[in-house]
């Protein structure tokens, strides 16, 4: 019995180490993508702001009283456009990640959102189902996520996945996750580029 307990403890320890490694790799990849997107967005933001400033100067010459209000609106719109562009580009970058990085991120999200619930069903779009690693379901189980892959594609999903536990669905599409954190992400991006 003690030998069996040691084997079980070893498996548990190995699984936890593997989960930590996958999570760290995923966080590094996402951080790298965000840094790249922020750098590119800062350049775009400077061009957008320069255009907005030129337009504001022209308006100021034509109508001094209304120009300040209009300039502020243009600046706000330019900043909002820059922030939305960064978020959109970050989502596009996540969608074009290499398969191994993409599915490592998916695995990390699945484990996080499964929250030790049992009997989950993961749905993907047709593109992701075709490129899904053959051992992905085994990796899910090894990571402590009790879910199976739905073999029928759900083409309402652009990227990421939806996991259902009976009547409860976790929408883990990248767009939904970004929307969920949009205000926090906008605030962080604003502080970086402005």
């Amino acid at each position: 019995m003690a030998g069996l307990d040691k084997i079980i403890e070893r498996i548990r320890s190995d699984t936890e180490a593997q989960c930590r490694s996958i999570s760290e790799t995923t966080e590094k990849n996402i951080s790298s993508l965000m840094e790249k997107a922020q750098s590119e967005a800062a350049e775009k933001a400077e061009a957008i702001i320069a255009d907005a400033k030129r337009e504001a100067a022209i308006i100021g010459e034509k109508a001094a009283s209304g120009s300040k209000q209009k300039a502020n609106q243009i600046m706000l719109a330019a900043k909002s456009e820059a922030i939305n562009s960064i978020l959109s580009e970050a989502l596009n970058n996540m969608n074009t990640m290499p398969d191994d990085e993409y599915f490592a991120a998916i695995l990390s999200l699945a484990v996080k959102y499964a929250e030790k619930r049992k009997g989950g069903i993961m749905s993907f779009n047709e593109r992701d189902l075709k490129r899904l690693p053959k051992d992905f379901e085994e990796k899910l189980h090894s990571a402590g996520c009790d879910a199976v892959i739905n073999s029928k594609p759900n083409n309402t999903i652009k990227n990421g996945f939806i996991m259902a536990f009976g009547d409860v669905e976790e929408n883990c599409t990248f767009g939904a996750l970004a929307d969920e954190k949009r205000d926090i992400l906008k605030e962080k991006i604003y502080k970086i580029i402005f």
Side-chain angles (χ1 to χ4, degrees), residues 18-148:
Q18 185 180 15
C19 287
R20 280 192 301 278
S21 173
I22 290 169
S23 180
E24 290 170 5
T25 301
T26 301
E27 288 178 19
K28 287 177 186 176
N29 291 338
I30 290 172
S31 175
S32 173
L33 287 171
M34 285 300 290
E35 286 176 15
K36 181 181 176 187
Q38 290 167 354
S39 173
E40 292 172 0
E43 293 173 15
K44 289 180 182 180
E46 288 176 17
I48 291 170
I49 290 171
D51 289 343
K53 285 180 179 178
R54 282 191 293 277
E55 189 174 336
I58 292 169
I59 291 171
E61 292 171 8
K62 292 181 181 178
S65 64
S67 68
K68 283 188 177 183
Q69 183 181 4
K70 184 69 174 172
N72 287 337
Q73 289 173 346
I74 291 170
M75 190 67 75
L76 182 60
K79 288 178 179 180
S80 180
E81 183 181 334
I83 289 170
N84 288 333
S85 176
I86 291 168
L87 287 172
S88 178
E89 191 166 329
L91 285 172
N92 286 338
N93 286 341
M94 291 176 81
N95 200 34
T96 58
M97 287 191 299
D99 288 354
D100 58 334
E101 292 176 24
Y102 181 85
F103 286 105
I106 295 291
L107 180 65
S108 179
L109 286 171
V111 170
K112 177 181 177 181
Y113 282 89
E115 298 176 340
K116 301 192 186 245
R117 289 180 276 190
K118 304 288 183 198
I121 299 173
M122 289 181 75
S123 297
F124 292 93
N125 63 25
E126 187 173 356
R127 175 181 175 252
D128 286 350
L129 275 176
K130 287 181 181 177
R131 64 186 185 138
L132 192 72
K134 292 184 185 339
D135 63 345
F136 188 76
E137 208 168 280
E138 291 173 26
K139 287 181 180 178
L140 280 172
H141 297 156
S142 295
C145 179
D146 183 26
V148 295

